[in-house]
Amino acid sequence: RLAVAGDDAGGNLAASLTLIARDRNGPAIAAQALIGPLLDPSMTRLGDGARLRSDLTAATCASWYAKYLPQSRQRLHPYAAPLVSVRQAGLPPALIVTAGCDVLHHEAETYAAALIAAGVPTQVVRFAGITHAALAAHPPALAEIAHFLHHRLADPGLASHHYPLR
């Protein structure tokens, strides 16, 4: 049983890896957990940083994308921009964790909606009052991620006898 998980730019890489694994026939990925992921290099879905009281700015996101994808044409490839992919069917179940005070939560939740529309079992949890930087260390977020991964990866026979699922 294999899962991928990533925070921030790592969420982009984790989501992209599921697309690549699906398209190239493996390895089989049983689950994906995306924590405040960057999913849209076009940055057209960023929230209003001032209104959200976000600790992350559009300028910072642009800087990260410029380092990761220095040529603008690279930013259009579905493996670099999971949110613009039109083929989400067949991806592994997903947990998408977002922060209420984060310019990225709208694009992450838009991606979740696309996964749901494609029939991918998807859970979305937004933590109100939490910033992007605090999300990956937020104890309730970590508990949600651990529960999701346990549920998706545990041996079904053992899970029902030793690890009660909530």
Side-chain angles (χ1 to χ4, degrees):
R1 292 178 280 282
L2 177 66
V4 296
D7 170 42
D8 197 275
N12 178 295
L13 296 174
S16 296
L17 184 60
T18 66
L19 292 163
I20 293 167
R22 180 207 54 206
D23 294 348
R24 297 183 182 173
N25 298 316
I29 298 174
Q32 58 179 316
L34 310 178
I35 302 104
L38 281 150
L39 298 168
D40 179 21
S42 75
M43 298 184 6
T44 58
R45 294 171 183 89
L46 286 180
D48 180 336
R51 185 183 60 77
L52 294 168
R53 300 177 325 278
S54 180
D55 57 340
L56 186 60
T57 66
T60 301
C61 293
S63 172
W64 290 342
Y65 278 123
K67 290 174 186 163
Y68 172 49
L69 305 163
Q71 298 173 358
S72 59
R73 74 178 187 287
Q74 294 172 317
R75 298 175 195 163
L76 301 175
H77 195 287
Y79 293 160
L83 185 55
V84 301
S85 173
V86 294
R87 297 183 330 113
Q88 281 85 14
L91 293 176
L95 169 66
I96 299 179
V97 178
T98 65
C101 300
D102 185 0
V103 296
L104 297 174
H105 83 254
H106 180 69
E107 71 183 59
E109 293 166 9
T110 300
Y111 186 63
L115 292 172
I116 292 167
V120 175
T122 302
Q123 178 182 349
V124 184
V125 181
R126 183 193 303 172
F127 291 94
I130 300 299
T131 63
H132 180 80
L135 184 61
H138 185 53
L142 294 173
E144 198 67 48
I145 295 161
H147 177 263
F148 171 78
L149 292 174
H150 170 77
H151 176 72
R152 291 293 172 184
L153 300 176
D155 180 331
L158 292 177
S160 63
H161 298 296
H162 301 289
Y163 305 104
L165 299 177
R166 54 183 170 112

